[in-house]
């Protein structure tokens, strides 16, 4: 593939930023609905009986969704930040965990959309006026679901390319390391002496200092020790 791994990571980070905006929009909408419906659900001119009915319908159909929506947006932002960290650390297995959040959000929105559409006519036996926020809930859920599906499709494309690039880079790194080991083994020097003792060192030093440039005859260990002591005595008594 022509694109580099850095370019793929950049595209993934941009996608994560869009998903953060999606999470903030989710939290903002449901947080706004929580504040409005908690303090301004019933206008002052609304009769008390209709106000009670309105509160009842809201509690049955929308209140739980508001709480879930606030948590949904916060969790979405956390998953997006986790996704960015996985991209920077180049961990493909961790980036795919983002799909869990995406599937969960789509499933929640589809469940509540179908529930609202089915249960709209379930409260005809009570007197209440249909509020504008009901359509807002439906339209917002549709928009957030569609946006999440688009983000998920783009994410799968980026995730596939990212996984391929990381595996390709790791394979090239392993090949380079194996080639280096083979090169070092071909150019290796002779192994060190295992039984390298003091007497052997004296013999090699004497060979190096020999003026005739010839190796001396290797003597036995006893004679070599005597030669060493004699040579030491000679140097110590010389003028």
């Amino acid at each position: 593939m022509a694109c580099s791994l850095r370019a793929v990571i950049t595209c993934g980070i941009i996608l994560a930023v869009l998903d953060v905006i999606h999470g903030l929009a989710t939290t903002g909408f449901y947080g706004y609905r929580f504040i409005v419906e908690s303090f301004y659900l019933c206008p002052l001119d609304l009769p008390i009986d209709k106000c009670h009915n309105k509160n009842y319908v809201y509690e049955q159909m929308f209140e739980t969704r508001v709480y879930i929506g606030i948590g949904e947006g916060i969790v979405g932002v956390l998953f997006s930040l986790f996704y960015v960290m996985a991209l920077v650390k180049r961990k493909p297995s961790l980036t795919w965990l983002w799909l869990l959040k995406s599937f969960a959000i789509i499933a929640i929105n589809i469940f509540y959309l179908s529930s609202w559409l089915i249960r709209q006519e379930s409260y005809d036996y009570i007197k209440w006026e249909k509020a504008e926020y009901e359509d807002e809930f439906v339209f917002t859920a549709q928009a957030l679901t569609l946006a999440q599906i688009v983000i998920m499709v783009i994410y799968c494309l980026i995730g596939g390319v990212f996984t391929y690039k990381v595996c390709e880079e790791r394979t090239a790194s392993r090949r380079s390391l194996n080639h280096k080991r083979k090169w070092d083994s071909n150019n290796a020097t002779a192994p060190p002496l295992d039984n390298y003792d003091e007497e052997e060192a004296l013999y090699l030093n004497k060979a190096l200092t020999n003026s005739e440039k010839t190796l001396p005859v290797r003597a036995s260990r006893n004679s070599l020790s005597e030669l060493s002591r004699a040579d030491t005595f000679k140097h110590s008594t010389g003028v």
Side-chain angles (χ1 to χ4, degrees), residues 190-206:
L193 297 174
D194 294 334
N195 300 324
Y196 190 75
D197 54 8
E198 184 179 359
E199 294 182 357
E200 189 71 16
L202 292 173
Y203 172 77
L204 294 176
N205 289 334
K206 191 171 185 62

Side-chain angles (χ1 to χ4, degrees), residues 94-107:
L94 298 180
T95 59
W96 289 105
L97 293 176
W98 183 88
L99 283 177
L100 298 176
K101 186 269 301 185
S102 182
F103 286 137
I105 289 178
I106 294 174

